[in-house]
Amino acid sequence: MKRLVQVNVTAGRGSTGVIADEIGAMAVERGWESWIAYGREPHRESASKLIRIGSDFDMRMHGLESRLLDNHGLASRAATRRFVRQLDEIKPDVVHLHNIHGYYLNYPILFRWLKEWGGPVVWTLHDCWPFTGHCAHFMFDGCEKWRSECKDCSLKASYPASLLADNSRRNFNRKKTSFLSVGSQLRLVACSDCVADYTRMSFFKDVDVRRLHNGVDLRIFRPSDNRDKKKRIIGVASVWSKAKGLDDFVKLRSLLSADYEIVLVGLTAAQRASLPSGITGIERTADRNELAKLYAEAAVFVNPTYEDNFPTVNIEALACGTPVVTYRTGGSPEAVDEKTGVVVEQGDIAGLIDAIERARGLSPDECRKRAEERFDKNDRYADYIALYERLLINNSIEL
């Protein structure tokens, strides 16, 4: 029986955690044994066996090092050594990395083990952290230092925030050395064409990079028979910030006619309290059925994001029959076509208003059809199983 180990900051929670969990479930259905190694927050039963890397204390110490020393991914030494000993016991056939940042893992220790192990490594890039000296996203800032060598970081205060030191040059070169050390073992998967292009311009330029879009559970995210006929606009984010378009929603509210209702999901209590009249705020929900109902009852989903890879929220909305309006940011426009959404230039609030009016005329059936044809999780995650199988065959031929 073939053995798969996935590594992600969460297991079964958040978009990357759900993706890892569902890939693991499909692998088990196909006759594999599956493990997910994670840093925090498992929230449901899993078809995979779960391994926690470190503890809450380890994560707090890792966070402290990151904030004081710009040392993200270089702490959690003892926790990662324990984890690689567990890998020795499991003897995986394939290791699939997702987000290895998040205050829980020491990447030089992991990559030394991967090099010695010698098997195929699949790494899904859910953001740009693997090839920068500090940040997870640089689109909002417009920085391009990652293309040659990071230094004098303008995003030092962004996640993973450093309060004092700027070690972006050291981090950049250490990542480059560690991540390229596994050579032809490594296969990179970007969730969007945009991030695939960025990756090919980075120090990963000689590594095999392919694009596999994320998938969505069409049984959960589906149209409603009780679609609200009101002019309801919905926005959803796991963390709302200026870069995710929260300020633009406030501007939109001031210019949009009063007969439109705006609902934002994923806000903190403080953010909810600061909202202007005419915007309803809902705190983050882990209930995907509840979230699907909110999508399905809206007339339009609006995603005014300034930095993103391939937002899962876009395809969740489409699966619920709700057209999407998004800024031309990262891989966000890749979710839609002219029948299912409207793309607006960043910061164009008047353009958002016009796009919302146009999107209201789009067909819910076409939105659902696009989700079924392109973003069914069963099809997209089967792509990963097929990739694992091909890599194992290629390795056996080379041996």
Side-chain angles (χ1 to χ4, degrees), residues 7 24 53 85 100 159 169 179 182 199 202 207 276 295 331 360 374 376 387:
V7 182
I53 302 174
R85 287 196 293 269
I100 65 170
Y159 169 84
R169 175 180 284 172
F179 300 159
V182 295
T199 306
S202 75
V207 178
Y295 283 125
R360 286 184 59 229
R374 291 175 176 263
D376 184 339
L387 175 58

Side-chain angles (χ1 to χ4, degrees), residues 126-129 135-140 155 158 307-309:
H126 298 282
D127 55 38
C128 301
W129 181 87
C135 66
H137 290 288
F138 45 74
M139 300 172 192
F140 187 56
L155 290 167
S158 69
E307 55 183 22
D308 244 310
N309 179 356

Side-chain angles (χ1 to χ4, degrees), residues 75-96:
S76 298
R77 300 164 192 83
T80 307
R81 290 189 189 102
R82 287 193 297 270
F83 171 53
V84 298
R85 287 196 293 269
Q86 290 173 294
L87 288 173
D88 281 328
E89 295 172 2
I90 293 170
K91 296 181 174 58
D93 294 284
V94 175
V95 172
H96 184 171

